[in-house]
Amino acid sequence: MHTQQTPLAEPKPFEAQYRFEMRGWPSATIIHQLSQEDNHWLSDMSFSVTVARGAERSRFIVNEDSVHSLVYNSSYALFGIGDTYQLEEAEMFLPDRQAALFELSRQAGNAGCVVTSPCEINYLDHRGREEQFAYYLVQRGPISLPAGEFDALTVALVDAEKPDRQLQLSFHPGFPGLVLSADYRREGRRETRLSLTHFQPQGGATP
């Protein structure tokens, strides 16, 4: 069990845009908003290109050391053909994907997770199926992006059943839920890349 060293960062509302690149596909813009509504938080992420679109929306409660999902909605379409999914609170014995991403960003640099002793993250995918990954801290330090230079915590996520695949995520330590960059590789080759292109905190100056 990993011991937390400092209190987890408090959520702050923001708006962000990312450039998403997938090998063999045109690049897309992803829009991401984190906002507070009454006693819960809403994470809303969507993208659209000529042939595809997708969206995820999660409502969750932030506790001192965890998150609790309330409702999760998602929709995806390719060439006009797709589907929608919804998970209700009673169905979610684990955080949904958006809530888990938010919580991972809070935990990333704070739990002593290293490559020789990784931590675990469990969540439900859009269909309500359990996913489990090991993760560990790769580095701390500033990174340069199209949106500017930001302090970052970079973690690697590994699926034990698919060791040839790895996802590296960089988070801002002061804005839980804000992804700075993402790099997904399979058999050592980059498949997708995401980079922050615009960031605007609500009610404050850009860090």
Side-chain angles (χ1 to χ4, degrees):
M1 182 175 179
H2 300 273
T3 302
Q4 294 178 0
Q5 299 174 349
T6 58
L8 300 181
E10 292 294 326
K12 304 180 185 72
F14 64 80
E15 297 181 2
Q17 290 185 12
Y18 312 98
R19 182 174 64 241
F20 179 71
E21 300 169 281
M22 178 181 292
R23 190 166 58 87
W25 287 80
S27 62
T29 296
I30 295 178
I31 299 173
H32 185 198
Q33 293 181 314
L34 183 71
S35 57
Q36 187 171 18
E37 297 185 352
D38 298 325
N39 67 335
H40 65 267
W41 289 81
L42 171 64
S43 180
D44 192 335
M45 188 176 287
S46 63
F47 77 92
S48 178
V49 292
T50 304
V51 298
R53 61 175 176 80
E56 292 189 352
R57 174 177 288 188
S58 169
R59 298 179 189 275
F60 53 88
I61 293 174
V62 178
N63 300 314
E64 183 178 349
D65 59 356
S66 63
V67 296
H68 176 73
S69 293
L70 299 175
V71 63
Y72 170 83
N73 297 281
S74 62
S75 62
Y76 307 94
L78 179 64
F79 296 109
I81 301 173
D83 211 340
T84 61
Y85 305 90
Q86 180 165 308
L87 300 175
E88 299 287 349
E89 182 178 9
E91 304 174 78
M92 293 188 282
F93 58 94
L94 290 171
D96 63 77
R97 184 160 52 197
Q98 283 288 315
L101 184 67
F102 172 90
E103 186 61 8
L104 175 61
S105 71
R106 291 209 303 166
Q107 300 278 4
N110 202 40
C113 307
V114 294
V115 64
T116 54
S117 182
C119 297
E120 289 186 355
I121 180 170
N122 302 316
Y123 64 91
L124 301 180
D125 72 3
H126 59 289
R127 295 179 183 267
R129 300 169 298 194
E130 183 174 356
E131 298 279 359
Q132 182 180 73
F133 287 83
Y135 72 91
Y136 56 88
L137 184 67
V138 175
Q139 66 180 22
R140 301 173 185 260
I143 59 174
S144 295
L145 301 162
E149 186 172 286
F150 297 84
D151 290 334
L153 295 169
T154 301
V155 298
L157 281 79
V158 182
D159 185 342
E161 298 180 356
K162 302 173 183 177
D164 63 323
R165 305 179 186 186
Q166 186 182 89
L167 173 64
Q168 282 200 3
L169 292 167
S170 294
F171 299 107
H172 193 293
F175 283 84
L178 177 63
V179 180
L180 298 176
S181 68
D183 189 290
Y184 174 65
R185 294 176 181 268
R186 183 169 58 183
E187 297 179 347
R189 184 170 61 177
R190 177 185 288 135
E191 297 289 329
T192 63
R193 178 169 57 185
L194 179 145
S195 302
L196 182 70
T197 58
H198 175 77
F199 172 58
Q200 181 60 55
Q202 296 180 11
T206 303

